[in-house]
Amino acid sequence: KPEFLKGIQDVEVNEGQSVKFRCKVKGYPQPRVTWHKDGKHMKNPGNARIEKFGNRDYILTIDYATMDDDAEYSVCAKNIAGEAKSTAQVIVEPAKTG
């Protein structure tokens, strides 16, 4: 079944900074990888980009974090043999004003 060689880690950023989650997944057959934010499937992630490099590397990038991105994120790898999941928090600190 799928296995995370490297899971995603909690991230703390200031508002307006970028967030990057990178994970490495292996599995046969090739697992289908999906990203979730607070349990909801990120099909059209808005200000986020979902990329895949080679067979194992998956990256979720949020270019400019807003308070709306302060959430729990998880990445799920699934194939016929089973599934694996890695979860992390994004903590967004509000921008200091004045």
Side-chain angles (χ1 to χ4, degrees), residues 28-92:
Y28 186 82
Q30 179 76 39
R32 200 170 79 89
V33 171
T34 52
W35 293 86
H36 304 263
K37 174 181 172 178
D38 283 341
K40 291 190 185 72
H41 185 199
M42 296 175 74
K43 268 198 186 78
N44 303 308
N47 66 337
R49 285 197 315 277
I50 293 171
E51 299 165 282
K52 180 185 173 195
F53 294 97
N55 279 338
R56 294 187 168 179
D57 287 282
Y58 295 86
I59 296 179
L60 172 71
T61 308
I62 299 168
D63 286 324
Y64 301 100
T66 65
M67 297 314 291
D68 196 44
D69 297 310
D70 188 297
E72 183 185 86
Y73 291 80
S74 57
V75 55
C76 196
K78 203 181 233 176
N79 65 15
I80 54 168
E83 66 178 275
K85 191 177 186 179
S86 177
T87 303
Q89 294 289 140
V90 172
I91 294 142
V92 181

